[in-house]
């Protein structure tokens, strides 16, 4: 999962967690607010009663009676005055039940003792719990709506800011990693950002790619120079050996040794030629402006390799459609790629084995060519390194392989943007799938 997706998911889930926590705590919060509001209201009522008593006397309420009690029409509030003997210095607010006209109701009650003349009175001011609860639902709705609006607003801001903040990182990934091809020939442009971490990452990647490019250029230059310089002494040695072999004074034993030396020089010459070919491919020294009919290409390969098939008595079935044309390629390199794969299929096949070649145009417009054989197969531990240089297709097979054939195949494939897939089982055979991208198919 991408970083921006993870941050978006985290921001969304954190906001959701806040909403759930708030909704869980909301009844307790609104209940506390309603009680505090009611307690404040009861104290105000108490102050009003005390003010009236202070101005007009307690008889304003008692009217000659020992006690006083009054409640509203719906019994939502009540006030009572009763004489007491002991004084209470502080107000007490509690929840209790009261019986009014044979109805038992729950009230939030404030009690207060005061002195009026020579007597002490206990005042109670009550408000029903039902009237307190009726404020909770509207309060909860208002609080919920306000919270949702705020959460939505902050969520949009957070997501926008997160994307804005990570935009330089996305640009670094696109320009420095995703769309860059080894060996990084094009110059890298620094990303404009005020975030020092991203700036440091961008600079580090640019420096790293420059170092890789320089090291790769030195390696390619060394390979090309070494391969080119080796061809001259090899050619001179070959000529001298061939001249010695033509001398009549050379005995049989010396002739055999000279033939062995000549064979060794031929192998060395082919190795150097392969290294030089790889170096030229990696240095983009081949044009890619040719087109070829795929069926015709395999026909030429089959004609050139037919003697190898006859020697090992191997049957090769080619099922290539006649309308697939490869464009924007180098014909000789594609020929070399297919030739090497088919040559390996022959070299490591079993006597009286078979090779099958077919093509398929996929739904996305690409073309996949499958080359399968009934050969000795490749061990699982060798598949990951089979395209490395000087890695033989099968270590136990002494058939003259130098470990550069598949390396050339890999270099040609990468040069054309072709993908290679390999499946193999020991003693059952090997399958190569060569996938040509859409731009190479006409």
């Amino acid at each position: 999962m991408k970083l921006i997706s993870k941050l978006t998911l985290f921001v969304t889930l954190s906001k959701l967690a806040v909403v759930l926590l708030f909704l869980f705590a909301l009844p307790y919060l609104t209940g506390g607010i309603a009680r505090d509001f009611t307690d404040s209201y009861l104290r105000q009522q108490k102050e009003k009663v005390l003010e009236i008593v202070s101005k007009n006397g307690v008889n304003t309420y008692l009217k000659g009676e020992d006690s006083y009690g009054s409640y509203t029409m719906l019994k939502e509030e009540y006030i009572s005055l009763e004489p007491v003997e002991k004084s209470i210095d502080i107000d007490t607010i509690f929840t209790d039940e009261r019986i009014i006209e044979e109805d038992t109701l729950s009230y939030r009650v404030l009690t207060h003792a005061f002195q009026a003349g020579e007597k002490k009175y206990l005042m109670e001011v009550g408000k029903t719990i039902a009237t307190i609860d009726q404020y909770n639902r509207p309060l909860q709705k208002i609080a919920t709506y306000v919270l949702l609006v705020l959460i939505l607003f902050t969520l949009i801001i957070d997501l926008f800011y997160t994307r804005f903040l990570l935009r330089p990182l996305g640009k670094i990934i696109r320009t420095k990693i995703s769309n860059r091809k080894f060996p990084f020939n094009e110059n890298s442009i620094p990303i404009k950002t005020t975030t020092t971490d991203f700036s440091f990452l961008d600079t580090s990647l640019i420096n790293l790619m420059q170092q890789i490019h320089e090291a790769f250029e030195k390696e390619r230059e060394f390979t090309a120079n070494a391969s080119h310089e080796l061809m001259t002494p090899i050619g001179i040695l070959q000529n001298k050996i061939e001249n010695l072999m033509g001398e009549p004074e050379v005995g049989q034993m010396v002739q055999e040794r000279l033939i062995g030396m000549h064979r060794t020089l031929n192998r060395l010459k082919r190795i150097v030629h392969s290294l030089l070919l790889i170096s030229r491919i990696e240095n983009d020294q081949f044009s890619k402006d040719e087109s070829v009919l795929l069926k015709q290409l395999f026909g030429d390969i089959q004609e050139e390799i037919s003697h190898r098939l006859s020697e090992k008595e191997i049957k090769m079935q080619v099922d290539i459609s006649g309308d697939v044309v490869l464009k924007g390629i180098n014909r000789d390199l594609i020929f070399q790629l297919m030739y090497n794969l088919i040559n390996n299929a022959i070299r490591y096949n079993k006597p009286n084995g078979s090779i099958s070649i077919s093509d398929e145009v996929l739904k996305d417009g690409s073309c996949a060519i499958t080359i399968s054989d009934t050969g000795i197969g490749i061990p699982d531990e060798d598949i990951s390194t089979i395209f490395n240089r000087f890695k033989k297709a099968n270590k136990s097979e002494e058939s003259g392989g130098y470990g550069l054939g598949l390396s050339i195949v890999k270099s040609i494939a990468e040069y054309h943007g072709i993908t290679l897939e390999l499946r193999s089982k020991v003693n059952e055979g090997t399958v190569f799938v060569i996938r040509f991208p859409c731009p190479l198919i006409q």
Side-chain angles (χ1 to χ4, degrees):
M1 185 182 293
K2 293 183 178 180
L3 178 60
I4 184 65
S5 301
K6 288 186 175 181
L7 289 176
T8 301
L9 182 62
F10 171 76
V11 170
T12 305
L13 291 179
S14 63
K15 300 296 183 185
L16 181 60
V18 170
V19 171
L20 293 177
L21 181 62
F22 182 81
L23 292 178
F24 176 77
L26 186 58
Y28 303 97
L29 295 174
T30 55
I33 294 173
R35 283 192 299 272
D36 292 342
F37 176 78
T38 302
D39 293 347
S40 176
Y41 174 79
L42 294 176
R43 292 190 182 95
Q44 292 176 5
Q45 295 295 96
K46 177 201 72 174
E47 295 298 331
K48 289 181 180 179
V49 172
L50 292 178
E51 184 179 355
I52 293 173
V53 171
S54 175
K55 290 182 178 180
N56 304 323
V58 71
N59 284 326
T60 305
Y61 292 98
L62 296 179
K63 296 181 179 180
E65 300 290 335
D66 293 334
S67 62
Y68 169 79
S70 176
Y71 52 86
T72 60
M73 182 179 297
L74 298 178
K75 305 174 185 176
E76 294 178 349
E77 300 178 14
Y78 81 91
I79 298 175
S80 67
L81 298 174
E82 294 183 355
V84 293
E85 296 181 358
K86 295 183 178 179
S87 175
I88 302 175
D89 297 331
I90 59 175
D91 294 342
T92 302
I93 300 178
F94 57 92
T95 302
D96 198 5
E97 292 183 349
R98 293 290 186 270
I99 300 175
I100 299 177
E101 293 184 350
E102 299 181 356
D103 288 336
T104 302
L105 301 175
S106 295
Y107 284 89
R108 186 72 175 166
V109 181
L110 179 146
T111 60
H112 175 74
F114 63 93
Q115 185 85 22
E118 297 179 356
K119 290 185 178 182
K120 296 176 181 178
Y121 294 91
L122 178 64
M123 175 175 56
E124 283 190 359
V125 181
K127 189 175 183 64
T128 57
I129 299 297
T131 57
I132 299 175
D133 292 339
Q134 71 182 2
Y135 298 110
N136 287 351
R137 290 185 180 180
L139 191 59
Q140 290 178 13
K141 287 183 179 180
I142 294 173
T144 303
Y145 293 151
V146 171
L147 175 68
L148 291 177
V149 171
L150 291 177
I151 288 293
L152 182 61
F153 180 71
T154 56
L155 179 62
I156 294 173
I157 292 178
D158 289 346
L159 294 179
F160 176 79
Y161 182 72
T162 300
R163 291 182 178 275
F164 173 77
L165 187 65
L166 295 180
R167 187 179 300 170
L169 179 60
K171 194 171 183 180
I172 290 173
I173 294 174
R174 289 193 305 273
T175 58
K176 302 299 189 301
I177 301 176
S178 299
N179 297 328
R180 297 300 298 274
K181 292 184 179 180
F182 187 80
F184 315 127
N185 293 322
E186 60 274 13
N187 294 327
S188 298
I189 301 175
I191 301 299
K192 294 181 180 180
T193 176
T194 57
T195 305
T196 55
D197 294 336
F198 293 157
S199 178
F200 176 76
L201 175 62
D202 185 52
T203 304
S204 300
L205 286 174
I206 292 175
N207 293 335
L208 180 61
M209 286 188 290
Q210 288 177 348
Q211 293 174 10
I212 293 174
H213 175 70
E214 292 173 1
F216 186 75
E217 286 297 327
K218 291 178 181 178
E219 179 188 355
R220 292 200 303 186
E221 183 179 357
F222 171 78
T223 303
N225 293 339
S227 301
H228 180 75
E229 294 298 328
L230 281 172
M231 294 299 290
T232 301
I234 289 174
I236 294 173
L237 285 174
Q238 276 187 319
N239 290 333
K240 289 185 177 181
I241 291 174
E242 290 171 358
N243 292 334
L244 286 174
M245 291 172 61
E247 293 292 334
E249 295 84 0
V250 178
Q252 181 67 26
M253 184 179 67
V254 177
Q255 277 281 3
E256 292 177 356
R257 292 183 178 179
L258 288 174
I259 291 173
M261 292 171 62
H262 193 270
R263 188 181 299 115
T264 301
L265 281 175
N266 280 334
R267 288 201 299 268
L268 180 60
K269 188 176 182 179
R270 285 195 291 270
I271 292 175
V272 173
H273 182 269
S274 297
L275 288 174
L276 187 59
L277 175 62
I278 293 174
S279 178
R280 291 182 62 196
I281 294 172
E282 292 175 344
N283 279 288
D284 298 339
Q285 294 181 7
F286 290 91
S287 61
K288 293 185 290 185
D289 54 1
E290 298 176 311
S291 299
V292 63
L293 186 64
L294 195 58
K295 188 172 185 178
Q296 181 183 356
L297 179 71
F298 277 98
D300 295 343
I301 295 174
Q302 191 172 8
E303 181 179 349
E304 185 167 332
I305 213 166
S306 58
H307 68 282
R308 296 286 315 279
L309 296 170
S310 301
E311 289 174 2
K312 296 194 68 172
E313 298 181 352
I314 295 174
K315 296 180 180 180
M316 186 169 75
Q317 181 181 358
V318 180
D319 185 15
I320 300 295
S321 56
D323 57 350
V324 177
V325 177
L326 301 179
K327 63 177 182 178
I329 62 165
N330 185 284
R331 185 191 183 282
D332 293 336
L333 292 182
I334 297 299
F335 182 95
Q336 186 73 39
L337 183 151
M338 298 299 178
Y339 181 89
N340 285 0
L341 292 178
I342 297 175
N343 187 49
N344 276 353
I346 297 173
R347 176 183 297 170
Y348 302 111
N349 215 320
K350 300 174 183 178
N352 299 316
S354 64
I355 299 173
S356 177
I357 303 174
S358 62
D359 68 332
E360 180 186 4
V361 178
L362 305 178
K363 293 181 179 180
D364 60 357
S366 61
C367 179
I369 299 174
T370 303
I371 302 176
S372 60
D373 62 61
T374 58
I376 59 177
I378 304 171
D380 293 339
E381 59 270 17
D382 292 340
I383 289 180
S384 61
T385 58
I386 200 66
F387 292 103
N388 294 353
R389 296 177 188 179
F390 302 106
K391 181 74 176 179
K392 288 188 178 183
N394 191 288
K395 295 179 181 179
S396 63
E397 180 73 10
E398 298 296 335
S399 55
Y402 313 116
L404 286 172
L406 290 181
S407 181
I408 293 174
V409 168
K410 180 183 178 183
S411 297
I412 295 173
E414 291 179 347
Y415 184 62
H416 287 86
I418 300 169
T419 58
L420 300 172
E421 298 177 14
L422 169 61
R423 302 188 300 272
S424 184
K425 287 188 178 180
V426 177
N427 296 325
E428 292 187 14
T430 301
V431 177
F432 277 97
V433 180
I434 307 98
R435 192 183 301 274
F436 291 85
C438 300
L440 299 183
I441 305 300
Q442 181 174 328

